[in-house]
Amino acid sequence: AGATIPRPVSGLFATKRGHMPDPTDELLLDTLPWSTVRSPNCLRRAGITTLAQLARLTKREVSKIPGIGGVYLPGFLDDLAFNGIDLRA
C-alpha cells in the first residue's frame, strides 16, 4: 500500500490510527507568541495545552472558556490568525 497523506484540519494535520502523527500536533501553546499571557493561562486552566487540542474546538466552544469569551475573543482570534491557526466554525 502507498503512503497516506494526513488530511489538514485547522492548519494542522489530523491523523487516523496507523498514521504517523504530525509533530505540530503536540506543540505546546506556551511556545506560541501571544499578545498577552491571558490567553494561554485561560486555555491551560481549561485543560488545553497543545495546538492539536485547540484545533479540535469551534469558535463557540472557545468563546465559552472563562477569560477568553466576550470582549477578549477578538484579540484571541487575532493571536491565533497571527500564528496561522483557524478554529472550526
Side-chain angles (χ1 to χ4, degrees):
T4 305
I5 299 172
R7 53 191 163 82
V9 175
S10 301
L12 303 175
F13 290 100
T15 58
K16 294 180 183 176
R17 191 174 0 153
H19 292 185
M20 291 294 295
D22 187 288
T24 60
D25 283 351
E26 295 308 315
L27 187 62
L28 296 177
L29 294 174
D30 291 339
T31 61
L32 297 176
W34 296 95
S35 60
T36 70
V37 295
R38 178 184 198 87
S39 296
N41 287 343
C42 294
L43 291 169
R44 195 177 314 106
R45 281 193 297 274
I48 300 162
T49 59
T50 66
L51 283 177
Q53 291 169 321
L54 181 60
R56 287 191 283 270
L57 300 177
T58 64
K59 288 180 185 177
R60 183 180 174 128
E61 291 168 331
V62 168
S63 72
K64 293 179 181 180
I65 296 173
I68 290 181
V71 298
Y72 297 105
L73 187 60
F76 176 79
L77 295 175
D78 287 345
D79 280 349
L80 292 183
F82 177 81
N83 287 294
I85 301 166
D86 293 320
L87 296 177
R88 299 179 327 176

